[in-house]
């Protein structure tokens, strides 16, 4: 009888030991390497970041909006490290020079072919259990946005071009194009 091969459990130390320029995320001790984003991905990310930052500034808001690459130590442990495309953090005490320690209030992930399963399944579960209030999955191929309101236990689907209400900011909506 052959013994089962055990998968190695990685830690944040392994993420920091990656060669310069190589990006990866760590979820429950498993490393997920990340391909460079496409121009479409970057354009969507930039526009969303700009809209959110402009809104926060116009309201003299206290929240910070941060774009990838930005470290989020999701569970404050050594086995979970993610780089959401966009993070909005309203509890500034979670931030330091290394990143965000704990769940952001709002996370946006822009799906790429290599991240589809991770964004729709693995991260959905991790963000919900870590305490993220709102999670958007922006899918450029489907031209759809899935909006998960974890606190309100809602799931909504929007098409690109539709105004999407932002759950953590009353009266604010964004049209993804």
């Amino acid at each position: 009888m052959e013994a089962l091969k055990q998968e190695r459990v990685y830690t944040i130390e392994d993420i920091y030991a990656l060669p310069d320029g190589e990006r990866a995320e760590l979820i429950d001790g498993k490393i997920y390497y990340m391909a460079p984003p496409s121009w479409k991905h970057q354009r969507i990310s930039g526009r969303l970041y700009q809209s959110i930052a402009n809104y926060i500034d116009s309201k003299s808001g206290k929240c910070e909006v941060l774009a990838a690459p930005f470290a989020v130590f999701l569970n404050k442990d050594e086995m979970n490290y993610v780089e959401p495309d966009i993070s909005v953090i309203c509890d500034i005490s979670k931030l330091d020079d290394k990143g965000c320690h704990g769940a952001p209030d709002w996370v946006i992930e822009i799906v790429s072919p290599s991240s589809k399963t991770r964004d729709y399944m693995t991260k959905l579960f991790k963000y919900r259990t870590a305490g993220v209030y709102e999670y958007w999955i922006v899918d450029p191929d489907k031209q759809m946005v899935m909006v998960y309101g974890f606190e309100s236990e809602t799931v909504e689907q929007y098409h690109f071009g539709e105004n999407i209400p932002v759950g953590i900011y009353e009266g604010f909506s964004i049209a993804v194009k």
Side-chain angles (χ1 to χ4, degrees), residues 15-16 23-26 34 37 41-42 45 49 63-74 80-109 123 127:
I15 293 291
Y16 285 133
R23 289 182 52 215
E25 293 180 308
L26 180 69
M34 299 183 331
H41 178 285
Q42 288 300 88
S45 177
Y49 175 90
C63 301
E64 291 287 333
V65 58
L66 299 150
F70 177 73
V72 174
F73 304 95
L74 206 50
N80 288 282
Y81 166 99
V82 292
E83 292 184 4
D85 290 310
I86 296 176
S87 302
V88 177
I89 298 112
C90 298
D91 179 356
I92 305 306
S93 71
K94 292 181 181 182
L95 297 172
D96 68 15
D97 287 343
K98 289 188 174 193
C100 177
H101 301 270
D105 294 270
W106 179 18
V107 170
I108 299 174
E109 294 286 6
K123 286 185 175 181
Y127 291 146

Side-chain angles (χ1 to χ4, degrees), residues 156-167:
E156 301 287 337
Q157 182 174 299
Y158 297 89
H159 296 280
F160 276 25
E162 286 184 275
N163 279 328
I164 305 169
V166 176

Side-chain angles (χ1 to χ4, degrees), residues 10-177:
Y10 293 91
T11 66
I12 290 170
E13 196 173 295
D14 295 303
I15 293 291
Y16 285 133
L18 291 173
D20 280 349
E22 189 156 358
R23 289 182 52 215
E25 293 180 308
L26 180 69
I27 300 174
D28 296 330
K30 183 174 180 183
I31 288 184
Y32 296 89
Y33 292 94
M34 299 183 331
S38 68
W39 73 267
K40 187 188 296 184
H41 178 285
Q42 288 300 88
R43 188 166 192 266
I44 292 169
S45 177
R47 294 286 167 90
L48 284 169
Y49 175 90
Q50 185 177 29
S51 295
I52 297 164
N54 288 345
Y55 178 81
I56 292 170
D57 289 348
S58 76
K59 300 293 183 186
S60 300
K62 303 287 184 247
C63 301
E64 291 287 333
V65 58
L66 299 150
F70 177 73
V72 174
F73 304 95
L74 206 50
N75 293 64
K76 298 183 188 175
D77 62 20
E78 290 298 307
M79 296 176 30
N80 288 282
Y81 166 99
V82 292
E83 292 184 4
D85 290 310
I86 296 176
S87 302
V88 177
I89 298 112
C90 298
D91 179 356
I92 305 306
S93 71
K94 292 181 181 182
L95 297 172
D96 68 15
D97 287 343
K98 289 188 174 193
C100 177
H101 301 270
D105 294 270
W106 179 18
V107 170
I108 299 174
E109 294 286 6
I110 301 162
V111 175
S112 62
S114 64
S115 74
K116 194 173 291 261
T117 301
R118 195 164 60 248
D119 292 336
Y120 277 104
M121 297 179 68
T122 310
K123 286 185 175 181
L124 174 66
F125 176 76
K126 287 307 290 184
Y127 291 146
R128 183 171 54 84
T129 58
V132 170
Y133 296 122
E134 187 168 353
Y135 176 41
W136 288 20
I137 302 174
V138 178
D139 193 325
D141 288 342
K142 294 180 180 177
Q143 297 210 349
M144 300 290 290
V145 180
M146 295 298 298
V147 175
Y148 295 86
F150 295 134
E151 198 163 275
S152 58
E153 297 183 4
T154 58
V155 180
E156 301 287 337
Q157 182 174 299
Y158 297 89
H159 296 280
F160 276 25
E162 286 184 275
N163 279 328
I164 305 169
V166 176
I168 68 166
Y169 293 117
E170 195 174 320
F172 177 42
S173 64
I174 300 174
V176 179
K177 296 176 184 167

